[in-house]
Amino acid sequence: MKFSSLTDTFELSNGIKIPCIGYGTWQTPDGDCAERCVADALSVGYRHIDTAFAYGNEASVGAGIRKSGVKRDDIFITTKHWVTERGYDKTVEAVETSLKNLGLDYLDLYLVHWPCVEKFSPEWKEINLSTWRGFEKMVKDGKIRAIGVSNYEAKHLEPLFAEAEIKPCVNQIEFHPGYTQIDNVHYSQNKGMLVQAWSPLGSGAVLFDKGLNEIAAKYNKSVAQLCVRFALQCNVLPLPKSTNKERMAANADVFDFEINEEDMQILINYPLLGFSGYRPEDAPADALAGQ
Ligand code: A2P
């Protein structure tokens, strides 16, 4: 595999380089915790931080970045647009709000958090496109370096690709042994997008599985390390999350082993385990409301 450290990069379709493992902040409590976690993640070597407006911790993430002393330009920072802000004008405002919250003057990557779907509006395609036009404007204005989507499936990507002036270069989806959405991974990769994994450890739910522990033991690695390495070997960028500094470091200690092809197939096809229950068409209404 081409990666040997946290500063090695994938290249996005627009040529921008993105550090190969990101530090995730979903469910990291706002305030001192998020601030300390982000500073710790940067101190153990992460250079890629993933947050979202909906996580409610953008301001603390920004504070953690400043506290770390690492230069802003040396960090790749992603945040996400929330479902209540759909449409061109609200989207443009949402970018400004996230920049203000984070205390930044540009974002490296901005993602549509969830697609609008047919069940919520017959105009779902137009709504998604109008949001996207706001994304494109903010790229042209120099506020964002790269744009993409999250939780999109082929049926949502197709109409967007047909109309987008700037094609989405990332699809961030739930991905871990037990829920790989492998067809979506391949579809997205074939469109030239980098797939990113949210909950690469199944939010912790896969870590005690007997079969996964047996596979990890063969490589003298933890299940968490197996999961992070598994994503990388699928050309998927993992965003593991931990509030514990030792575990943050351990989760990035994945460059000294290789999962063999037989085990990769087992992991790709692992029986359903640790699935969040969220899909764009049937996620809880509060996750997708706000058309
Ligand atoms: P903690 O924050 O106490 O470390 P995901 O990245 O899939 O969202 O999973 C995050 C969950 O997994 C958190 O509950 C986190 O708890 C836990 N976790 C993260 N890294 C490890 C690890 N190396 N060993 C055990 N649990 C971990």
Side-chain angles (χ1 to χ4, degrees):
M1 199 181 61
K2 58 184 175 173
F3 303 120
S4 56
S5 87
L6 276 172
T7 50
D8 286 341
T9 54
F10 284 98
E11 189 172 318
L12 300 177
S13 54
N14 65 359
I16 284 174
K17 293 191 163 50
I18 177 168
C20 63
I21 300 178
Y23 176 69
T25 62
W26 181 37
Q27 293 172 332
T28 301
D30 190 33
D32 291 350
C33 182
E35 183 176 330
R36 193 262 308 155
C37 283
V38 168
D40 281 352
L42 291 165
S43 80
V44 303
Y46 289 82
R47 288 295 178 270
H48 171 179
I49 308 289
D50 182 277
T51 184
F53 176 80
Y55 301 171
N57 58 18
E58 285 177 322
S60 311
V61 167
I65 289 167
R66 286 184 291 282
K67 184 177 174 178
S68 75
V70 179
K71 271 190 5 226
R72 192 275 172 252
D73 290 355
D74 292 340
I75 309 171
F76 192 101
I77 303 166
T78 302
T79 192
K80 309 183 194 82
H81 168 274
W82 189 235
V83 301
T84 50
E85 310 306 310
R86 289 181 177 134
Y88 182 87
D89 291 335
K90 281 167 109 182
T91 295
V92 167
E93 264 177 54
V95 175
E96 296 291 0
T97 301
S98 284
L99 284 170
K100 203 164 149 213
N101 288 345
L102 284 156
L104 299 174
D105 52 14
Y106 70 91
L107 299 171
D108 294 283
L109 178 64
Y110 194 53
L111 303 178
V112 179
H113 208 140
W114 288 93
C116 182
V117 298
E118 197 166 6
K119 178 170 134 183
F120 294 104
S121 170
E123 318 257 284
W124 63 281
K125 287 183 196 169
E126 291 76 16
I127 292 171
N128 286 332
L129 185 59
S130 160
T131 302
W132 194 252
R133 294 291 183 233
F135 275 53
E136 292 174 332
K137 174 192 163 39
M138 296 313 258
V139 172
K140 289 174 193 163
D141 286 358
K143 302 283 174 101
I144 314 174
R145 298 174 69 220
I147 50 178
V149 298
S150 184
N151 301 301
Y152 270 52
E153 297 174 356
K155 72 176 280 193
H156 316 111
L157 287 168
E158 249 173 67
L160 183 60
F161 264 85
E163 301 289 340
E165 196 183 315
I166 303 175
K167 306 294 178 203
C169 56
V170 164
N171 190 12
Q172 185 181 122
I173 59 175
E174 180 174 358
F175 174 94
H176 50 78
Y179 193 69
T180 57
Q181 307 190 61
I182 202 67
D183 291 345
N184 191 5
V185 169
H186 291 150
Y187 179 89
S188 300
Q189 290 176 337
N190 287 335
K191 286 275 189 196
M193 283 184 283
L194 172 69
V195 175
Q196 299 183 334
W198 62 262
S199 284
L201 318 178
S203 292
V206 307
L207 301 178
F208 300 100
D209 180 75
K210 188 164 172 283
L212 293 179
N213 274 279
E214 282 168 8
I215 297 173
K218 282 199 335 205
Y219 299 97
N220 287 317
K221 287 288 174 179
S222 69
V223 175
Q225 290 164 331
L226 181 80
C227 290
V228 171
R229 178 81 196 189
F230 166 60
L232 289 174
Q233 286 187 221
C234 290
N235 282 317
V236 169
L237 188 156
L239 301 163
K241 176 227 145 175
S242 177
T243 49
N244 174 284
K245 194 172 175 179
E246 282 71 40
R247 289 196 285 278
M248 290 175 197
N251 292 347
D253 179 16
V254 297
F255 299 109
D256 59 353
F257 75 113
E258 178 95 27
I259 304 170
N260 69 33
E261 190 46 40
E262 190 188 342
D263 288 336
M264 285 300 291
Q265 289 308 317
I266 292 171
L267 295 174
I268 287 171
N269 299 304
Y270 213 71
L272 188 68
L273 178 71
F275 172 44
S276 66
Y278 291 164
R279 282 193 64 199
E281 309 288 334
D282 52 24
D286 61 349
L288 292 173
Q291 319 310 322

